[in-house]
Amino acid sequence: MNSVVNPAAALADLWLQTGLDSAALQRMRFDGSTRVPGFASRFAAVDAVQTSVGAAALMATEIGRYRQPHLSAQTVSVDAQHAAFETSGYFTLDGVEPELWSPISGLYACGADAGQSGWVRIHANFDHHRDGALALLGLPTGAATPRAAVQQALQHWRAEDFEARAAQAGLPIVALRSHQEWLEQGQEAEIARHPLVELERIGDAAPLAWPPLQDEQRPLSGIKLMDLTRILSGPAAARTLAAYGADVLMINGPHLPNIEAIVDLSRGKRSALLDLRSDEGRSSLQQLVRDAHVFLQAYRPGALAAKGFAAEDLARLRPGIVVAELCAYGWQGPWAGRRGFDSLVQTASGINVDEGLARGDGKPRALPMQALDYGAGFLLAFGIQAALLRQAMEGGSWRVRVTLAGTARWLRSLGLVEVAPEEWTQARADISPYLETLDSGFGRLQAVRHCAQFSRTPVGWSHASMPPGSSPARW
């Protein structure tokens, strides 16, 4: 299998967009072949995740070089197989691998009784999304409704009609499309107008002082990051920065649901609760912002702005802050504001169709790992650090934006891969060399170590993974 763009070339292209020193690229090493057994794909998925995590790690060493000019800059290495396993989402809790997907989540054929064709993907990992989809189909809500009943009910729908009704109801459901059909939606053209990792200066401010960095400390030690995210990409970005030393305070709402992967994604963070529906909760968040370096959020576009926490509000509250934002499809265009997740973007943008065609049976298929979620998370971590460094050098308040759909577009731009028939059924290597076992507030956690390695300061976690509300909402 040969991809068009290798990780080193892809990283160089990303790096040039930041306006920072390209000499740093000489300190990056990508190890192993990106043709990882058990992760075969029509897309350069392993290349993408290895590149994106490499970008994040290398940028951390640039911050370290800026903070410690008396030391030689660290080199960085990322192993391809390790990166693939990290983005597989594997973990166990007390020896049990949790079921991460709702039984009714997934792809369904539509419209057989009406003589129509088409598929839809339902994302139902949250109970309210599951119940919304079931209610739209006229089925009883709750976990007891079987998948077969959903399949039967969808026989009376056209895929695009069901998608349209779901979008009106704010439900995460999309119709399966080819890439050409996705282009005809018009959202890709809007995405193409923006950089993959968008850095924008949104206000004037003096450079913020960082605490002194001791020789043995990780590059981001002392940098305070607020993590207001719950689903994979945002938490993965914050966890990555925690691995590089950032002081990460995760803020959950007491009324908001979380996914099982919170156990894995909370490594390195302290976890607090604030109810932003209350005056007290909003006031507490404002107090935290005043001492933060980074504010990371992935709420539906406009949701936090309505509570007084738009990027411009945050920049007035804390001049010099880096505001990081992530969403599925972007902030403008016909799909702006739609709820979306990795699996849905794969379905909508043609990735599932192309994976199925490459496999030979034509059945739509997903990527072998959550490359969009983790890729976008690593890219966001890269962008946050680039903005931090620009802030330290130039001043200003900054906004960083990344989208899942933009990450999908970038993945496609890396080139399509020729896969030999036998590669589709290759077994994965033993994952155990990449695992770490940790005590957590959820139980005994075994999960994949972070795949980037620095030459001098080991990556790792300052805090155990803990349930929401385990820490007070303070620095």
Side-chain angles (χ1 to χ4, degrees):
M1 299 190 295
N2 294 301
S3 62
V4 175
V5 179
N6 62 41
L11 174 60
D13 182 61
L14 272 176
W15 201 268
L16 290 175
Q17 297 178 27
T18 67
L20 296 171
D21 186 3
S22 62
L25 297 169
Q26 303 303 313
R27 297 187 283 103
M28 182 73 231
R29 189 180 78 239
F30 292 108
D31 294 334
S33 168
T34 55
R35 310 283 70 84
V36 178
F39 290 90
S41 173
R42 180 64 167 142
F43 295 87
V46 177
D47 303 64
V49 296
Q50 191 182 27
T51 298
S52 54
V53 73
L58 188 62
M59 192 60 78
T61 68
E62 277 294 273
I63 289 178
R65 185 171 73 92
Y66 180 82
R67 299 178 77 182
Q68 297 176 307
H70 62 288
L71 296 177
S72 60
Q74 296 196 73
T75 58
V76 179
S77 63
V78 177
D79 177 75
Q81 184 163 264
H82 193 166
F85 276 125
E86 182 171 352
T87 55
S88 71
Y90 174 87
F91 71 94
T92 64
L93 192 61
D94 294 328
V96 177
E97 185 175 358
E99 176 53 61
L100 301 179
W101 290 93
S102 162
I104 73 162
S105 289
L107 278 166
Y108 294 85
C110 292
D113 291 349
Q116 304 288 342
S117 61
W119 295 70
V120 293
R121 182 180 290 279
I122 296 174
H123 194 285
N125 289 1
F126 287 141
D127 289 350
H128 65 291
H129 289 159
R130 176 201 65 207
D131 290 345
L134 293 173
L136 187 56
L137 291 168
L139 297 172
T141 59
T145 299
R147 185 178 176 88
V150 176
Q151 180 65 81
Q152 180 59 38
L154 282 167
Q155 298 309 299
H156 305 283
W157 285 85
R158 292 180 64 253
E160 292 188 5
D161 291 342
F162 190 61
E163 175 194 73
R165 287 284 300 278
Q168 291 171 4
L171 296 171
I173 295 169
V174 297
L176 179 76
R177 288 179 173 83
S178 67
H179 184 235
Q180 181 57 43
E181 290 169 334
W182 170 241
L183 293 178
E184 292 166 1
Q185 293 292 303
Q187 192 62 32
E188 181 99 342
E190 175 60 37
I191 292 165
R193 294 179 55 247
H194 303 272
L196 172 63
V197 181
E198 189 169 17
L199 275 65
E200 178 187 5
R201 183 170 173 145
I202 60 172
D204 294 329
L208 294 180
W210 294 342
L213 187 65
Q214 303 302 314
D215 289 355
E216 72 280 3
Q217 289 183 303
R218 288 169 288 163
L220 301 190
S221 295
I223 293 177
K224 297 175 180 177
L225 183 149
M226 301 175 64
D227 176 16
L228 279 76
T229 66
R230 293 179 297 129
I231 316 301
L232 284 176
S233 292
R239 186 185 69 182
T240 300
L241 298 177
Y244 304 158
D247 180 4
V248 178
L249 180 61
M250 184 165 60
I251 304 294
N252 253 286
H255 59 293
L256 296 175
N258 283 284
I259 57 175
E260 289 284 349
I262 190 176
V263 177
D264 174 33
L265 293 165
S266 295
R267 283 181 286 170
K269 308 175 186 180
R270 292 180 295 116
S271 185
L273 291 174
L274 285 178
D275 191 343
L276 300 186
R277 299 170 300 179
S278 70
D279 292 340
E280 181 183 1
R282 291 190 294 273
S283 177
S284 295
L285 189 66
Q286 289 174 344
Q287 288 299 116
L288 289 168
V289 168
R290 290 189 174 96
D291 290 318
H293 297 99
V294 180
F295 184 99
L296 167 60
Q297 66 99 355
Y299 281 82
R300 184 167 49 86
L304 281 187
K307 298 183 184 300
F309 296 100
E312 294 76 12
D313 298 324
L314 294 165
R316 284 190 292 270
L317 190 62
R318 169 63 154 160
I321 198 167
V322 172
V323 180
E325 300 175 343
L326 181 137
C327 73
Y329 300 106
W331 288 265
Q332 295 86 36
W335 281 55
R338 285 202 192 190
R339 287 180 170 87
F341 302 96
D342 179 315
S343 59
L344 298 180
V345 175
Q346 288 189 46
T347 300
S349 67
I351 289 175
N352 286 171
V353 167
D354 287 338
E355 284 284 74
L357 291 172
R359 186 70 179 261
D361 57 8
K363 180 181 177 182
R365 295 178 182 273
L367 294 170
M369 80 282 273
Q370 291 170 289
L372 303 188
D373 263 336
Y374 282 97
F378 295 142
L379 290 170
L380 195 59
F382 163 71
I384 288 168
Q385 294 174 103
L388 282 167
L389 197 50
R390 294 280 293 272
Q391 204 287 326
M393 296 166 66
E394 306 169 22
S397 300
W398 293 80
R399 176 165 59 197
V400 183
R401 281 180 164 178
V402 172
T403 66
L404 295 179
T407 305
R409 181 175 183 270
W410 174 63
L411 173 61
R412 187 176 289 275
S413 78
L414 297 181
L416 298 178
V417 176
E418 293 298 327
V419 185
E422 64 273 13
E423 291 179 291
W424 291 113
T425 55
Q426 279 183 321
R428 293 185 177 182
D430 179 15
I431 197 173
S432 59
Y434 305 108
L435 297 178
E436 61 184 8
T437 303
L438 307 164
D439 288 323
S440 80
F442 300 91
R444 191 71 166 162
L445 172 64
Q446 189 174 58
V448 180
R449 301 187 315 276
H450 184 56
C451 60
Q453 299 298 316
F454 300 152
S455 56
R456 191 171 61 249
T457 57
V459 300
W461 319 112
S462 299
H463 302 283
S465 177
M466 299 293 289
S470 299
S471 294
R474 63 171 181 262
W475 295 112

